[in-house]
Every structure is written in structure tokens, then in C-alpha cells.
Amino acid sequence: MKISGYQLFWLIFTMEFGMTAIYSLSSATFVAKQDAWISIIVATLICLFTTFVAVRLSLLYPEQTFIQYSQSILGKWLGKIILVPYFLMWVSVTGIILREYADFVFAALFSSTPLWIVILIMLGAIVYVTYSGGLRSISRCSEIIGPISVLSAILVILLSVKDWNWLRILPVYSNSGLLPIVKGGLSPASFLAESFMVVMLIAFMTKPERALATSLAGVAAASFAVLAMTLSIIMVIGPNLPAKFIYPMYSVVTYISVMEFIQNVDVLTVLVWIIGIFIKASLYFFITSYGTAQFFHIKKWRHTIWLIAPIVFVISLLPRNTNEVMKFAKFWRDVIFPINLVGIPLLLWIIGSIRKKYM
């Protein structure tokens, strides 16, 4: 299961763009108002740093995954202990992604279909692609889906141009100040920082030395797309309404109508986003399954798929409503993001660099 730098780029872009654009912009506009686009720039800088740390950490041991080199850096037992919160994160996030997908599909397309059926269909597709080809199949799907996502985003932006009002992004900075802008950037930063998953992917690259440039490019491209979407949202519906919507980008897409001829663009966009969510959930599912096999020294990693799939399905059904899913998003932003995606990788990089230099 080897992947190229080109495939890694589209994996990161596809994984980060879709759900960040759908879910994180509401909280950003709620805090930073018309300066939410500056919050996205702040989030980009944060995530470029976290991605840099994750890649440099992995390049200390380019032929090992995060499961393996954590134990090389900290020792067998401490290394295993520090991996526990990551397994909890991966399996819970996979379930929550499925639930967020189901809630979105329920609101946008199939309001009469039971959620568990919507979840089960997507989970079946994820299990199939993971079992049949693993990371290679997921990366090949991203090569196709990624460019389509870009074209979809460009289409949405171009069709919404006629409704833009540049005055809605004014005044810049003076009404918000630095603190609200930074605070508004934390939610999109926590989504974009999922590029941390490169710690499990670099070991599969044919040319690991290209990982840093490719990963940073993927994060930058996804961030630029989210920035463009944020500006479009604010200029179309203003800075106040997006904070009241769960899916502000979807609301803008449904608003599009060109000469009463081009309408219902939301259906096409929803389908593209759903496929993007499929890539993200599949990547998390693969990492959880493969990592579990490495952790417990199971030779045939695909056997763990049949253990992880039911757990993920149950987790996806635990939230009683969308508000409880949003509570997990807050927990992700306030706890998991600073500890699992920033703090521990930075600590491991420092310790690993010291060990490499002096031991």
C-alpha cells in the first residue's frame, strides 16, 4: 500500500475542505462577525505549524507509523500509554463523522429516512473500500474526488458573485479586535489540524522526503478554499445570519439562482460534499483499523475491521440530536485539538530529535 506525494496532497485537501466548509464557519462568524475571513487566515497559520511539526516528527522515523515510533521515542510502555487517547480519538471521531454526515443528509436530502439506515449505507461503503484496497484505494478515490471538489467550489463562488456585497465585510478589524478574531479561528483550526493524520501516512509514501512540501500544500490549498467560501458567505448573507445557521455554506448554495434558469445547485454540491466526507471517514477508519493491528501485533490488519465497524456504528447512534454532536465539536476544539494535535506531537518531536542527536 504505497501512495505518492500527489495522492497525499489530494487526501489532505479532500479530507479537510469539505467538513471545514460545512461545519466550522458558523462558529467563526459568530465570534468574529465580518472578520471571520481573518480568523480563517489565523487558523491556516496555526495548522501549517501543526502540520510542519507532525511531518518533521514522522520524518525522524520515515519507515514507521505513529504507533511504532511513539514507542521508539518514549519506550514500549509509556509509548503505548500515550497512544490510548489517540485510539479513543480516532474511533470516536469516525463515529461522529458518520453522524454529522447523516444529520446533514437528513436535513438536506432524505428527511424521511431513518438515520441508522443512512449511516449504515455509508459505513458499508467505508468498510468495502478499506477492506478491498486499504489506503491505496482511498488515495485513488481522493485523486478523482479532490479535483471535482475544487470545481464544485469554484462553481459555487462564480454563481454567487452576482449576490456579493463588498460592504458586508467592512469595517475590517476595528469592530472585532485581535482576541475575537483568534478565538474565531480556533474552530476551523481544529478541523484543518486533522492533517495530523500524516503521522500514520508518511510510512506508506514512496518518497517520504516529499511529505513536508506536499502536506503543507494540501493544508494551504484547503485553507484557501475555505477562505474563499467564508468571504462568499459573508458577502452574500452578511456577518450575522451565518452564526444562526448550522450549515451556512449550504444556505448560500440554496440561495443561488441565475436568471431563474440555473437553480438547485445545492443537490450537486451536497453530493460532492458527501463524497468528500466519505474520504475523510474512510481515512479515519483505515488508520483506526491499521493502528489497532499494529498496537496488538495482529498480522492481518483487515481482521480488525470487523471489530472497529460495529463500535463506530454504535458511537454514531449515541448522540440524541445535532446539539449533542455540536458538544463533541466543542470538546474536540477545547481539549483534543490542543492536546492530541498540538501538545503531544510537539513534545514527541522535541524528545525524538534529542534522542536522534545524542543517542
Side-chain angles (χ1 to χ4, degrees), residues 152-164 232 236 252-253 255-259 262-266 268-269:
S152 174
I154 293 173
L155 178 65
V156 168
I157 292 170
L158 290 178
L159 293 178
S160 66
V161 167
K162 70 179 185 62
D163 298 309
W164 285 5
S232 296
V236 171
V252 169
V253 174
Y255 188 76
I256 290 174
S257 176
V258 180
M259 297 186 300
I262 300 178
Q263 296 178 334
N264 300 323
V265 181
D266 54 302
L268 174 62
T269 308

Side-chain angles (χ1 to χ4, degrees), residues 32 60 117 122 132 149 174 183-184 186 188 196 198 214 223 237 249 272 288 291 303 306 320 334 341 344 359:
L60 293 175
I117 293 180
M122 176 62 88
S132 61
S149 298
S174 60
K183 188 176 179 181
L186 293 179
F196 166 80
V198 296
T214 302
S223 300
I237 59 178
M249 192 64 241
V272 172
T288 308
H303 290 173
W306 312 115
R320 289 173 293 181
D334 298 338
L341 305 186
I344 294 177
M359 299 180 68

Side-chain angles (χ1 to χ4, degrees), residues 139-263:
S139 60
R140 286 180 176 175
C141 289
S142 71
E143 283 185 272
I144 300 172
I145 296 167
I148 295 175
S149 298
V150 173
L151 292 175
S152 174
I154 293 173
L155 178 65
V156 168
I157 292 170
L158 290 178
L159 293 178
S160 66
V161 167
K162 70 179 185 62
D163 298 309
W164 285 5
N165 183 349
W166 290 92
L167 295 177
R168 291 187 175 123
I169 65 173
L170 300 177
V172 176
Y173 186 79
S174 60
N175 281 5
S176 301
L178 181 61
L179 187 60
I181 288 174
V182 173
K183 188 176 179 181
L186 293 179
S187 183
S190 66
F191 277 81
L192 292 170
E194 288 178 291
S195 56
F196 166 80
M197 285 200 287
V198 296
V199 296
M200 288 292 292
L201 303 180
I202 289 177
F204 297 96
M205 290 190 67
T206 53
K207 296 180 179 179
E209 63 274 9
R210 297 182 58 187
L212 183 60
T214 302
S215 301
L216 293 178
V219 172
S223 300
F224 180 78
V226 173
L227 175 62
M229 288 293 185
T230 305
L231 284 168
S232 296
I233 290 172
I234 296 172
M235 288 191 289
V236 171
I237 59 178
N240 297 315
L241 283 177
K244 300 177 182 179
F245 296 144
I246 298 176
Y247 314 114
M249 192 64 241
Y250 176 68
S251 300
V252 169
V253 174
T254 58
Y255 188 76
I256 290 174
S257 176
V258 180
M259 297 186 300
E260 297 185 358
F261 175 70
I262 300 178
Q263 296 178 334

Side-chain angles (χ1 to χ4, degrees), residues 60-61 349-359:
L60 293 175
Y61 303 88
W349 181 38
I350 294 171
I351 296 173
S353 299
I354 294 172
R355 286 180 64 93
K356 279 281 187 175
K357 187 174 182 179
Y358 296 106
M359 299 180 68

Side-chain angles (χ1 to χ4, degrees), residues 122-133 278 282 285 305-306 309:
M122 176 62 88
L123 182 58
I126 291 169
V127 168
Y128 173 76
V129 73
T130 305
Y131 187 85
S132 61
F278 162 73
S282 298
F285 189 79
I305 289 175
W306 312 115

